[in-house]
């Protein structure tokens, strides 16, 4: 899961050379809890769509605190995420 979140950070902050227009859509709500870079969660009725990368990762990304998602570098993100994950482990039913 950490790899997927790192790729999300790179995409949102322009840290990679990939241009994927519309892969993620940021939530425009100014009253976001946890972090200011929340992603819109899309609803799909089909099983294949539920396995699409942005759908799988958005809910987890939205639960991360501000200090993690606002990390300026990948190493800073990794370090903060590792510390957060020790006290807030993912549900065991989630597979990434």
């Amino acid at each position: 899961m950490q790899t997927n979140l790192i790729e999300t950070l790179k995409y949102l902050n322009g840290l990679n050379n990939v241009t994927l227009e519309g892969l993620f859509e940021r939530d425009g709500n100014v009253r976001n809890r946890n972090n200011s870079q929340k992603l819109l969660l899309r609803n799909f009725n089909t099983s294949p769509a539920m396995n699409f990368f942005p759908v799988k990762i958005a809910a987890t990304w939205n639960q991360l605190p501000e200090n993690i998602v606002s990390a300026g570098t990948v190493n800073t993100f990794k370090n903060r995420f590792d510390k957060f994950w020790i006290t807030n482990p993912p549900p065991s039913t989630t597979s990434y």
Side-chain angles (χ1 to χ4, degrees):
M1 177 180 327
Q2 183 181 27
T3 303
N4 290 336
L5 291 168
I6 289 169
E7 291 305 315
T8 303
L9 173 81
K10 288 179 182 180
Y11 174 78
L12 293 174
N13 293 337
L15 299 175
N16 56 12
N17 295 328
V18 178
T19 304
L20 301 171
E21 289 296 320
L23 183 62
F24 293 105
E25 188 175 346
R26 293 183 195 250
D27 188 348
N29 186 354
V30 294
R31 294 184 185 183
N32 287 329
R33 290 189 210 170
N34 293 348
N35 74 61
S36 63
Q37 297 187 36
K38 288 215 177 201
L39 304 172
L40 282 179
L41 297 173
R42 298 176 184 169
N43 293 324
F44 293 99
N45 295 328
T46 62
S47 182
M50 297 300 283
N51 292 320
F52 188 49
F53 175 72
V55 176
K56 287 174 57 173
I57 206 67
T60 304
W61 179 266
N62 289 347
Q63 293 174 3
L64 295 175
E66 178 69 27
N67 71 320
I68 295 175
V69 300
S70 64
T73 66
V74 172
N75 283 335
T76 301
F77 178 86
K78 285 181 190 179
N79 292 333
R80 291 176 183 175
F81 179 78
D82 288 343
K83 288 177 186 175
F84 173 77
W85 218 241
I86 289 170
T87 57
N88 301 288
S92 60
T93 58
T94 305
S95 62
Y96 286 91

